[in-house]
PDB file of all heavy atoms in Angstrom:
ATOM      1  N   ASP A   1      -1.119  -0.870   9.854  1.00  0.00           N
ATOM      2  CA  ASP A   1      -0.001  -0.463   9.005  1.00  0.00           C
ATOM      3  C   ASP A   1       1.150  -1.453   9.083  1.00  0.00           C
ATOM      4  O   ASP A   1       1.156  -2.394   9.894  1.00  0.00           O
ATOM      5  CB  ASP A   1       0.472   0.949   9.355  1.00  0.00           C
ATOM      6  CG  ASP A   1       1.031   1.078  10.763  1.00  0.00           C
ATOM      7  OD1 ASP A   1       1.458   0.067  11.350  1.00  0.00           O
ATOM      8  OD2 ASP A   1       1.038   2.216  11.286  1.00  0.00           O
ATOM      9  N   SER A   2       2.153  -1.248   8.219  1.00  0.00           N
ATOM     10  CA  SER A   2       3.266  -2.194   8.089  1.00  0.00           C
ATOM     11  C   SER A   2       4.111  -2.261   9.356  1.00  0.00           C
ATOM     12  O   SER A   2       4.635  -3.331   9.708  1.00  0.00           O
ATOM     13  CB  SER A   2       4.148  -1.817   6.898  1.00  0.00           C
ATOM     14  OG  SER A   2       4.642  -0.494   7.029  1.00  0.00           O
ATOM     15  N   THR A   3       4.238  -1.135  10.068  1.00  0.00           N
ATOM     16  CA  THR A   3       5.036  -1.140  11.294  1.00  0.00           C
ATOM     17  C   THR A   3       4.420  -2.067  12.338  1.00  0.00           C
ATOM     18  O   THR A   3       5.123  -2.880  12.964  1.00  0.00           O
ATOM     19  CB  THR A   3       5.137   0.288  11.862  1.00  0.00           C
ATOM     20  OG1 THR A   3       5.776   1.137  10.912  1.00  0.00           O
ATOM     21  CG2 THR A   3       5.929   0.291  13.167  1.00  0.00           C
ATOM     22  N   GLU A   4       3.118  -1.964  12.526  1.00  0.00           N
ATOM     23  CA  GLU A   4       2.454  -2.805  13.521  1.00  0.00           C
ATOM     24  C   GLU A   4       2.495  -4.273  13.122  1.00  0.00           C
ATOM     25  O   GLU A   4       2.683  -5.161  13.974  1.00  0.00           O
ATOM     26  CB  GLU A   4       1.011  -2.338  13.713  1.00  0.00           C
ATOM     27  CG  GLU A   4       0.342  -2.961  14.943  1.00  0.00           C
ATOM     28  CD  GLU A   4      -0.968  -2.291  15.277  1.00  0.00           C
ATOM     29  OE1 GLU A   4      -1.287  -1.253  14.665  1.00  0.00           O
ATOM     30  OE2 GLU A   4      -1.672  -2.806  16.165  1.00  0.00           O
ATOM     31  N   ILE A   5       2.338  -4.538  11.831  1.00  0.00           N
ATOM     32  CA  ILE A   5       2.420  -5.927  11.355  1.00  0.00           C
ATOM     33  C   ILE A   5       3.803  -6.492  11.643  1.00  0.00           C
ATOM     34  O   ILE A   5       3.946  -7.625  12.129  1.00  0.00           O
ATOM     35  CB  ILE A   5       2.115  -5.992   9.848  1.00  0.00           C
ATOM     36  CG1 ILE A   5       0.662  -5.638   9.580  1.00  0.00           C
ATOM     37  CG2 ILE A   5       2.426  -7.398   9.294  1.00  0.00           C
ATOM     38  CD1 ILE A   5       0.328  -5.476   8.112  1.00  0.00           C
ATOM     39  N   GLY A   6       4.830  -5.705  11.368  1.00  0.00           N
ATOM     40  CA  GLY A   6       6.196  -6.164  11.628  1.00  0.00           C
ATOM     41  C   GLY A   6       6.445  -6.428  13.098  1.00  0.00           C
ATOM     42  O   GLY A   6       7.110  -7.424  13.458  1.00  0.00           O
ATOM     43  N   LEU A   7       5.905  -5.571  13.962  1.00  0.00           N
ATOM     44  CA  LEU A   7       6.093  -5.769  15.395  1.00  0.00           C
ATOM     45  C   LEU A   7       5.384  -7.032  15.885  1.00  0.00           C
ATOM     46  O   LEU A   7       5.915  -7.783  16.718  1.00  0.00           O
ATOM     47  CB  LEU A   7       5.579  -4.543  16.158  1.00  0.00           C
ATOM     48  CG  LEU A   7       6.407  -3.261  15.996  1.00  0.00           C
ATOM     49  CD1 LEU A   7       5.694  -2.081  16.649  1.00  0.00           C
ATOM     50  CD2 LEU A   7       7.798  -3.455  16.582  1.00  0.00           C
ATOM     51  N   VAL A   8       4.170  -7.278  15.366  1.00  0.00           N
ATOM     52  CA  VAL A   8       3.434  -8.485  15.743  1.00  0.00           C
ATOM     53  C   VAL A   8       4.198  -9.726  15.305  1.00  0.00           C
ATOM     54  O   VAL A   8       4.355 -10.700  16.069  1.00  0.00           O
ATOM     55  CB  VAL A   8       2.017  -8.478  15.128  1.00  0.00           C
ATOM     56  CG1 VAL A   8       1.347  -9.840  15.315  1.00  0.00           C
ATOM     57  CG2 VAL A   8       1.179  -7.377  15.764  1.00  0.00           C
ATOM     58  N   ALA A   9       4.705  -9.711  14.078  1.00  0.00           N
ATOM     59  CA  ALA A   9       5.443 -10.858  13.561  1.00  0.00           C
ATOM     60  C   ALA A   9       6.726 -11.083  14.353  1.00  0.00           C
ATOM     61  O   ALA A   9       7.064 -12.229  14.711  1.00  0.00           O
ATOM     62  CB  ALA A   9       5.760 -10.649  12.082  1.00  0.00           C
ATOM     63  N   ALA A  10       7.434 -10.015  14.666  1.00  0.00           N
ATOM     64  CA  ALA A  10       8.687 -10.151  15.419  1.00  0.00           C
ATOM     65  C   ALA A  10       8.428 -10.690  16.817  1.00  0.00           C
ATOM     66  O   ALA A  10       9.172 -11.549  17.326  1.00  0.00           O
ATOM     67  CB  ALA A  10       9.385  -8.790  15.495  1.00  0.00           C
ATOM     68  N   GLY A  11       7.344 -10.205  17.453  1.00  0.00           N
ATOM     69  CA  GLY A  11       7.025 -10.675  18.797  1.00  0.00           C
ATOM     70  C   GLY A  11       6.689 -12.150  18.841  1.00  0.00           C
ATOM     71  O   GLY A  11       6.904 -12.809  19.871  1.00  0.00           O
ATOM     72  N   ALA A  12       6.163 -12.668  17.730  1.00  0.00           N
ATOM     73  CA  ALA A  12       5.800 -14.094  17.682  1.00  0.00           C
ATOM     74  C   ALA A  12       6.883 -14.938  17.041  1.00  0.00           C
ATOM     75  O   ALA A  12       6.694 -16.157  16.876  1.00  0.00           O
ATOM     76  CB  ALA A  12       4.492 -14.255  16.900  1.00  0.00           C
ATOM     77  N   GLY A  13       7.998 -14.326  16.667  1.00  0.00           N
ATOM     78  CA  GLY A  13       9.088 -15.079  16.048  1.00  0.00           C
ATOM     79  C   GLY A  13       8.755 -15.579  14.651  1.00  0.00           C
ATOM     80  O   GLY A  13       9.288 -16.590  14.205  1.00  0.00           O
ATOM     81  N   ILE A  14       7.900 -14.839  13.939  1.00  0.00           N
ATOM     82  CA  ILE A  14       7.492 -15.237  12.587  1.00  0.00           C
ATOM     83  C   ILE A  14       8.356 -14.493  11.571  1.00  0.00           C
ATOM     84  O   ILE A  14       8.368 -13.264  11.543  1.00  0.00           O
ATOM     85  CB  ILE A  14       6.002 -14.919  12.336  1.00  0.00           C
ATOM     86  CG1 ILE A  14       5.123 -15.729  13.286  1.00  0.00           C
ATOM     87  CG2 ILE A  14       5.625 -15.191  10.884  1.00  0.00           C
ATOM     88  CD1 ILE A  14       3.645 -15.386  13.179  1.00  0.00           C
ATOM     89  N   PRO A  15       9.107 -15.221  10.738  1.00  0.00           N
ATOM     90  CA  PRO A  15       9.942 -14.558   9.735  1.00  0.00           C
ATOM     91  C   PRO A  15       9.077 -13.985   8.602  1.00  0.00           C
ATOM     92  O   PRO A  15       8.104 -14.607   8.181  1.00  0.00           O
ATOM     93  CB  PRO A  15      10.834 -15.688   9.214  1.00  0.00           C
ATOM     94  CG  PRO A  15      10.040 -16.928   9.430  1.00  0.00           C
ATOM     95  CD  PRO A  15       9.226 -16.695  10.683  1.00  0.00           C
ATOM     96  N   LEU A  16       9.454 -12.809   8.139  1.00  0.00           N
ATOM     97  CA  LEU A  16       8.754 -12.173   7.026  1.00  0.00           C
ATOM     98  C   LEU A  16       9.677 -12.118   5.825  1.00  0.00           C
ATOM     99  O   LEU A  16      10.799 -11.612   5.909  1.00  0.00           O
ATOM    100  CB  LEU A  16       8.317 -10.757   7.395  1.00  0.00           C
ATOM    101  CG  LEU A  16       7.333 -10.613   8.570  1.00  0.00           C
ATOM    102  CD1 LEU A  16       6.996  -9.145   8.786  1.00  0.00           C
ATOM    103  CD2 LEU A  16       6.074 -11.428   8.319  1.00  0.00           C
ATOM    104  N   VAL A  17       9.207 -12.631   4.721  1.00  0.00           N
ATOM    105  CA  VAL A  17       9.954 -12.566   3.472  1.00  0.00           C
ATOM    106  C   VAL A  17       9.694 -11.239   2.764  1.00  0.00           C
ATOM    107  O   VAL A  17      10.558 -10.692   2.077  1.00  0.00           O
ATOM    108  CB  VAL A  17       9.574 -13.754   2.554  1.00  0.00           C
ATOM    109  CG1 VAL A  17      10.317 -13.681   1.225  1.00  0.00           C
ATOM    110  CG2 VAL A  17       9.854 -15.071   3.254  1.00  0.00           C
ATOM    111  N   GLU A  18       8.487 -10.693   2.958  1.00  0.00           N
ATOM    112  CA  GLU A  18       8.126  -9.419   2.331  1.00  0.00           C
ATOM    113  C   GLU A  18       7.132  -8.678   3.215  1.00  0.00           C
ATOM    114  O   GLU A  18       6.235  -9.282   3.799  1.00  0.00           O
ATOM    115  CB  GLU A  18       7.516  -9.643   0.946  1.00  0.00           C
ATOM    116  CG  GLU A  18       7.143  -8.361   0.218  1.00  0.00           C
ATOM    117  CD  GLU A  18       6.581  -8.606  -1.164  1.00  0.00           C
ATOM    118  OE1 GLU A  18       6.479  -9.781  -1.568  1.00  0.00           O
ATOM    119  OE2 GLU A  18       6.240  -7.616  -1.856  1.00  0.00           O
ATOM    120  N   LEU A  19       7.335  -7.359   3.304  1.00  0.00           N
ATOM    121  CA  LEU A  19       6.408  -6.495   4.046  1.00  0.00           C
ATOM    122  C   LEU A  19       6.355  -5.164   3.289  1.00  0.00           C
ATOM    123  O   LEU A  19       7.220  -4.314   3.460  1.00  0.00           O
ATOM    124  CB  LEU A  19       6.902  -6.290   5.479  1.00  0.00           C
ATOM    125  CG  LEU A  19       6.009  -5.439   6.404  1.00  0.00           C
ATOM    126  CD1 LEU A  19       4.659  -6.101   6.628  1.00  0.00           C
ATOM    127  CD2 LEU A  19       6.716  -5.194   7.743  1.00  0.00           C
ATOM    128  N   THR A  20       5.352  -5.010   2.439  1.00  0.00           N
ATOM    129  CA  THR A  20       5.329  -3.898   1.495  1.00  0.00           C
ATOM    130  C   THR A  20       4.008  -3.135   1.535  1.00  0.00           C
ATOM    131  O   THR A  20       2.968  -3.698   1.142  1.00  0.00           O
ATOM    132  CB  THR A  20       5.553  -4.403   0.050  1.00  0.00           C
ATOM    133  OG1 THR A  20       6.709  -5.235   0.000  1.00  0.00           O
ATOM    134  CG2 THR A  20       5.709  -3.229  -0.901  1.00  0.00           C
ATOM    135  N   PRO A  21       4.033  -1.878   1.988  1.00  0.00           N
ATOM    136  CA  PRO A  21       2.820  -1.056   1.860  1.00  0.00           C
ATOM    137  C   PRO A  21       2.506  -0.856   0.381  1.00  0.00           C
ATOM    138  O   PRO A  21       3.410  -0.651  -0.442  1.00  0.00           O
ATOM    139  CB  PRO A  21       3.218   0.271   2.514  1.00  0.00           C
ATOM    140  CG  PRO A  21       4.401  -0.053   3.371  1.00  0.00           C
ATOM    141  CD  PRO A  21       5.115  -1.163   2.676  1.00  0.00           C
ATOM    142  N   GLN A  22       1.243  -0.927   0.011  1.00  0.00           N
ATOM    143  CA  GLN A  22       0.832  -0.804  -1.385  1.00  0.00           C
ATOM    144  C   GLN A  22       0.520   0.652  -1.702  1.00  0.00           C
ATOM    145  O   GLN A  22      -0.388   1.236  -1.102  1.00  0.00           O
ATOM    146  CB  GLN A  22      -0.390  -1.680  -1.656  1.00  0.00           C
ATOM    147  CG  GLN A  22      -0.154  -3.165  -1.393  1.00  0.00           C
ATOM    148  CD  GLN A  22       0.926  -3.741  -2.309  1.00  0.00           C
ATOM    149  OE1 GLN A  22       0.714  -3.921  -3.507  1.00  0.00           O
ATOM    150  NE2 GLN A  22       2.075  -4.030  -1.735  1.00  0.00           N
ATOM    151  N   HIS A  23       1.279   1.217  -2.640  1.00  0.00           N
ATOM    152  CA  HIS A  23       1.085   2.604  -3.041  1.00  0.00           C
ATOM    153  C   HIS A  23       0.575   2.655  -4.476  1.00  0.00           C
ATOM    154  O   HIS A  23       1.027   1.895  -5.336  1.00  0.00           O
ATOM    155  CB  HIS A  23       2.394   3.392  -2.949  1.00  0.00           C
ATOM    156  CG  HIS A  23       2.955   3.467  -1.563  1.00  0.00           C
ATOM    157  ND1 HIS A  23       2.296   4.093  -0.525  1.00  0.00           N
ATOM    158  CD2 HIS A  23       4.112   2.985  -1.037  1.00  0.00           C
ATOM    159  CE1 HIS A  23       3.030   4.011   0.581  1.00  0.00           C
ATOM    160  NE2 HIS A  23       4.126   3.336   0.296  1.00  0.00           N
ATOM    161  N   ALA A  24      -0.329   3.573  -4.730  1.00  0.00           N
ATOM    162  CA  ALA A  24      -0.821   3.762  -6.093  1.00  0.00           C
ATOM    163  C   ALA A  24       0.275   4.400  -6.941  1.00  0.00           C
ATOM    164  O   ALA A  24       1.089   5.189  -6.460  1.00  0.00           O
ATOM    165  CB  ALA A  24      -2.050   4.663  -6.086  1.00  0.00           C
ATOM    166  N   SER A  25       0.327   4.036  -8.213  1.00  0.00           N
ATOM    167  CA  SER A  25       1.213   4.722  -9.145  1.00  0.00           C
ATOM    168  C   SER A  25       0.626   6.088  -9.457  1.00  0.00           C
ATOM    169  O   SER A  25      -0.554   6.358  -9.180  1.00  0.00           O
ATOM    170  CB  SER A  25       1.357   3.911 -10.434  1.00  0.00           C
ATOM    171  OG  SER A  25       0.116   3.887 -11.136  1.00  0.00           O
ATOM    172  N   LEU A  26       1.441   6.968 -10.048  1.00  0.00           N
ATOM    173  CA  LEU A  26       0.917   8.283 -10.420  1.00  0.00           C
ATOM    174  C   LEU A  26      -0.209   8.134 -11.436  1.00  0.00           C
ATOM    175  O   LEU A  26      -1.193   8.877 -11.390  1.00  0.00           O
ATOM    176  CB  LEU A  26       2.034   9.156 -10.983  1.00  0.00           C
ATOM    177  CG  LEU A  26       1.615  10.567 -11.410  1.00  0.00           C
ATOM    178  CD1 LEU A  26       0.973  11.327 -10.258  1.00  0.00           C
ATOM    179  CD2 LEU A  26       2.808  11.338 -11.965  1.00  0.00           C
ATOM    180  N   GLU A  27      -0.085   7.178 -12.338  1.00  0.00           N
ATOM    181  CA  GLU A  27      -1.144   6.965 -13.320  1.00  0.00           C
ATOM    182  C   GLU A  27      -2.453   6.572 -12.636  1.00  0.00           C
ATOM    183  O   GLU A  27      -3.526   7.090 -12.977  1.00  0.00           O
ATOM    184  CB  GLU A  27      -0.739   5.875 -14.314  1.00  0.00           C
ATOM    185  CG  GLU A  27      -1.777   5.624 -15.388  1.00  0.00           C
ATOM    186  CD  GLU A  27      -1.325   4.606 -16.420  1.00  0.00           C
ATOM    187  OE1 GLU A  27      -0.414   3.807 -16.114  1.00  0.00           O
ATOM    188  OE2 GLU A  27      -1.883   4.605 -17.517  1.00  0.00           O
ATOM    189  N   GLU A  28      -2.376   5.665 -11.662  1.00  0.00           N
ATOM    190  CA  GLU A  28      -3.579   5.264 -10.937  1.00  0.00           C
ATOM    191  C   GLU A  28      -4.160   6.441 -10.160  1.00  0.00           C
ATOM    192  O   GLU A  28      -5.385   6.629 -10.125  1.00  0.00           O
ATOM    193  CB  GLU A  28      -3.242   4.113  -9.981  1.00  0.00           C
ATOM    194  CG  GLU A  28      -2.922   2.804 -10.695  1.00  0.00           C
ATOM    195  CD  GLU A  28      -2.358   1.760  -9.747  1.00  0.00           C
ATOM    196  OE1 GLU A  28      -1.687   2.141  -8.761  1.00  0.00           O
ATOM    197  OE2 GLU A  28      -2.577   0.562 -10.000  1.00  0.00           O
ATOM    198  N   ALA A  29      -3.279   7.239  -9.537  1.00  0.00           N
ATOM    199  CA  ALA A  29      -3.753   8.394  -8.784  1.00  0.00           C
ATOM    200  C   ALA A  29      -4.406   9.418  -9.709  1.00  0.00           C
ATOM    201  O   ALA A  29      -5.452   9.991  -9.388  1.00  0.00           O
ATOM    202  CB  ALA A  29      -2.588   9.031  -8.026  1.00  0.00           C
ATOM    203  N   PHE A  30      -3.796   9.644 -10.862  1.00  0.00           N
ATOM    204  CA  PHE A  30      -4.348  10.587 -11.826  1.00  0.00           C
ATOM    205  C   PHE A  30      -5.732  10.137 -12.300  1.00  0.00           C
ATOM    206  O   PHE A  30      -6.663  10.938 -12.378  1.00  0.00           O
ATOM    207  CB  PHE A  30      -3.400  10.717 -13.016  1.00  0.00           C
ATOM    208  CG  PHE A  30      -3.960  11.511 -14.168  1.00  0.00           C
ATOM    209  CD1 PHE A  30      -4.012  12.893 -14.112  1.00  0.00           C
ATOM    210  CD2 PHE A  30      -4.433  10.877 -15.306  1.00  0.00           C
ATOM    211  CE1 PHE A  30      -4.529  13.628 -15.169  1.00  0.00           C
ATOM    212  CE2 PHE A  30      -4.954  11.593 -16.360  1.00  0.00           C
ATOM    213  CZ  PHE A  30      -5.000  12.978 -16.297  1.00  0.00           C
ATOM    214  N   MET A  31      -5.864   8.862 -12.601  1.00  0.00           N
ATOM    215  CA  MET A  31      -7.150   8.349 -13.061  1.00  0.00           C
ATOM    216  C   MET A  31      -8.219   8.492 -11.981  1.00  0.00           C
ATOM    217  O   MET A  31      -9.384   8.806 -12.272  1.00  0.00           O
ATOM    218  CB  MET A  31      -7.013   6.886 -13.477  1.00  0.00           C
ATOM    219  CG  MET A  31      -6.100   6.658 -14.674  1.00  0.00           C
ATOM    220  SD  MET A  31      -6.673   7.492 -16.166  1.00  0.00           S
ATOM    221  CE  MET A  31      -8.131   6.530 -16.529  1.00  0.00           C
ATOM    222  N   GLU A  32      -7.818   8.300 -10.726  1.00  0.00           N
ATOM    223  CA  GLU A  32      -8.765   8.431  -9.621  1.00  0.00           C
ATOM    224  C   GLU A  32      -9.187   9.891  -9.435  1.00  0.00           C
ATOM    225  O   GLU A  32     -10.370  10.202  -9.268  1.00  0.00           O
ATOM    226  CB  GLU A  32      -8.134   7.900  -8.328  1.00  0.00           C
ATOM    227  CG  GLU A  32      -8.995   8.055  -7.089  1.00  0.00           C
ATOM    228  CD  GLU A  32     -10.280   7.227  -7.140  1.00  0.00           C
ATOM    229  OE1 GLU A  32     -10.326   6.231  -7.896  1.00  0.00           O
ATOM    230  OE2 GLU A  32     -11.232   7.592  -6.435  1.00  0.00           O
ATOM    231  N   VAL A  33      -8.205  10.794  -9.501  1.00  0.00           N
ATOM    232  CA  VAL A  33      -8.485  12.211  -9.274  1.00  0.00           C
ATOM    233  C   VAL A  33      -9.359  12.789 -10.381  1.00  0.00           C
ATOM    234  O   VAL A  33     -10.255  13.599 -10.130  1.00  0.00           O
ATOM    235  CB  VAL A  33      -7.164  13.001  -9.166  1.00  0.00           C
ATOM    236  CG1 VAL A  33      -7.418  14.506  -9.207  1.00  0.00           C
ATOM    237  CG2 VAL A  33      -6.436  12.638  -7.884  1.00  0.00           C
ATOM    238  N   THR A  34      -9.100  12.382 -11.631  1.00  0.00           N
ATOM    239  CA  THR A  34      -9.804  12.985 -12.766  1.00  0.00           C
ATOM    240  C   THR A  34     -11.005  12.169 -13.226  1.00  0.00           C
ATOM    241  O   THR A  34     -11.689  12.557 -14.177  1.00  0.00           O
ATOM    242  CB  THR A  34      -8.845  13.155 -13.961  1.00  0.00           C
ATOM    243  OG1 THR A  34      -8.345  11.866 -14.370  1.00  0.00           O
ATOM    244  CG2 THR A  34      -7.678  14.057 -13.590  1.00  0.00           C
ATOM    245  N   ARG A  35     -11.292  11.083 -12.550  1.00  0.00           N
ATOM    246  CA  ARG A  35     -12.358  10.163 -12.986  1.00  0.00           C
ATOM    247  C   ARG A  35     -13.678  10.880 -13.196  1.00  0.00           C
ATOM    248  O   ARG A  35     -14.349  10.700 -14.213  1.00  0.00           O
ATOM    249  CB  ARG A  35     -12.524   9.043 -11.947  1.00  0.00           C
ATOM    250  CG  ARG A  35     -13.712   8.116 -12.167  1.00  0.00           C
ATOM    251  CD  ARG A  35     -13.660   6.956 -11.180  1.00  0.00           C
ATOM    252  NE  ARG A  35     -13.432   7.404  -9.821  1.00  0.00           N
ATOM    253  CZ  ARG A  35     -14.386   7.795  -8.988  1.00  0.00           C
ATOM    254  NH1 ARG A  35     -15.644   7.792  -9.383  1.00  0.00           N
ATOM    255  NH2 ARG A  35     -14.107   8.180  -7.755  1.00  0.00           N
ATOM    256  N   ASP A  36     -14.067  11.720 -12.268  1.00  0.00           N
ATOM    257  CA  ASP A  36     -15.348  12.400 -12.357  1.00  0.00           C
ATOM    258  C   ASP A  36     -15.276  13.715 -13.126  1.00  0.00           C
ATOM    259  O   ASP A  36     -16.284  14.410 -13.261  1.00  0.00           O
ATOM    260  CB  ASP A  36     -15.899  12.673 -10.954  1.00  0.00           C
ATOM    261  CG  ASP A  36     -16.253  11.385 -10.227  1.00  0.00           C
ATOM    262  OD1 ASP A  36     -16.609  10.412 -10.914  1.00  0.00           O
ATOM    263  OD2 ASP A  36     -16.166  11.366  -8.994  1.00  0.00           O
ATOM    264  N   ALA A  37     -14.075  14.076 -13.593  1.00  0.00           N
ATOM    265  CA  ALA A  37     -13.928  15.328 -14.334  1.00  0.00           C
ATOM    266  C   ALA A  37     -13.887  15.096 -15.835  1.00  0.00           C
ATOM    267  O   ALA A  37     -13.734  16.038 -16.599  1.00  0.00           O
ATOM    268  CB  ALA A  37     -12.659  16.051 -13.898  1.00  0.00           C
ATOM    269  N   VAL A  38     -14.009  13.852 -16.259  1.00  0.00           N
ATOM    270  CA  VAL A  38     -13.943  13.540 -17.678  1.00  0.00           C
ATOM    271  C   VAL A  38     -15.311  13.596 -18.308  1.00  0.00           C
ATOM    272  O   VAL A  38     -15.534  14.179 -19.359  1.00  0.00           O
ATOM    273  CB  VAL A  38     -13.303  12.158 -17.903  1.00  0.00           C
ATOM    274  CG1 VAL A  38     -13.289  11.817 -19.387  1.00  0.00           C
ATOM    275  CG2 VAL A  38     -11.889  12.134 -17.353  1.00  0.00           C
TER     276      VAL A  38
END
């Protein structure tokens, strides 16, 4: 997860420009949930 990645980077003195967990949009989630119901 992002917390562990950040801790590893901080411990090694590696600067992070971006650290973003990837979340599905509601549209993507809806398509996944209803995929087999169509």
Side-chain angles (χ1 to χ4, degrees):
D1 64 22
S2 58
T3 299
E4 192 169 352
I5 293 171
L7 290 173
V8 170
I14 297 175
L16 298 181
V17 178
E18 181 178 0
L19 182 64
T20 309
Q22 300 298 288
H23 298 297
S25 67
L26 180 57
E27 181 176 21
E28 290 170 329
F30 172 77
M31 296 299 291
E32 177 65 22
V33 169
T34 61
R35 172 173 49 86
D36 294 330
V38 178

